[in-house]
Amino acid sequence: MTSADSDTGLLAPGWAGSPAAAETADAAFLRALLDAETALTRAQAALGLAPDGAVAAVTEAAGPGRFDLASLAERARTGGNPVIPLVADLTRAVGEPYGPYVHRGATSQDIMDTAMMLVAHRALAPVLSDLARCERALARLAAEHRDTPMPGRTLTQHAVPTTFGLKAAGWRSLVLDARDRVTAVRGSLPAQLGGAAGTLAAFTAYGAEDATGLPAAYARELGLREPPLPWHTLRTPIADLAGCLALTAGALGKLAVDVLTLSRTEIAEVAEGSGGGSSAMPHKANPVRSTLIAAAARRAPQLAATLYGALAAGDERPAGAWHAEWEPLRDLLRLVGGAARDAAELTEGLRVHPDAMRAHLKLTHGLIVSERLSAELAPVLGRARARELLTRLARRAYEEGRDLGELLAAEPESKDLDVAAASDPSRYTGSAGVLTDRSLERR
């Protein structure tokens, strides 16, 4: 088995083959680690702390294909992180006279944290692209179905009518919330450079009169933000990533679980554009995209919790807290990257069945508009009498299989009420259309 074979996502169909999979693979991390090392040499050269020849030598030697991933992973066990063996290999590849400028003044955590930020920055780009696709598809659905009535459901039961347009607008609002948070966090990802204990002392030992300018130069080389302080034990960037990724997974999860409910055989108000098959039942068209998104939404909070737990990082480098971040963060990036891809495909292909929605409005024999009937009757009969009448008629509607409006029309007390209009579910969607319009103004 080759090193490339060891990370294929066989048990992770949610992210396998996604852009996030490529941007978070071992090879992508190796590239980010090497990018962090070469940027450090460039930054020092820009400040006169390294010769230009060192930049050329380190850049040439830092081709990812020159390094053995499996060997790096195995040797990482000795020092507890992959930077230590990588620096040894890179220094050897650079050779004399410029080998001593590799990793000069830095510590392993500087390179590892910076590489994490590079990987996150790169992995979040396709996430934002897929969220944009999802948003556009949902905006189209909301506009097309602005006035398509359907049952609103609370605690699994029919409540009052709503519209599919408002439901789609709500999904879109969550997607935009996620987009805004991912955009903000991605733009704030910082480089990390502090040296052994966050004091930049080694850089002054190597000739820098004022080493505080080096983190800014380093960040510029990488396209990352300059941090106000070395953040080796100030893990706000990791916590911010955890939060925005968990929220994004949950936002997409809300869309997915709604689609899973509405696409049940007994409901069939929506359907995925291309359902998945079954190994045993040829008739099945399973809502696979929604299933994978829902799975990601269930895993993300626990991964984020691990990252939040790592905030309690002791001393100037913690034993265990820092190390506990790497895998959960990668898993979160993968889960959210895969979920965003699946959400884009799901929403772009979602089939809506308005006829089924309208038919289901009649399932409760008119009881879905009992709130409106109560409001209409209360000024005439008083609240207590209106409630008593409707409770009795509701019981009859269930027992006799008759429509509540029909029974109410036969009651002398309703003679001044336009029962037909008041009992029409499609005419009791409140401000759903206006709310949908308002939501679509958000860009």
Side-chain angles (χ1 to χ4, degrees), residues 353-367:
H353 304 303
D355 290 345
M357 295 175 179
R358 292 189 178 91
H360 293 156
L361 289 169
K362 302 176 183 178
L363 283 178
T364 57
H365 308 293
L367 297 182

Side-chain angles (χ1 to χ4, degrees), residues 292-324:
L292 296 176
I293 297 168
R298 283 164 172 77
R299 288 189 60 201
Q302 287 71 38
L303 293 167
T306 298
L307 296 174
Y308 279 122
L311 277 165
D315 299 323
E316 277 60 57
R317 185 165 300 106
W322 171 51
H323 306 76

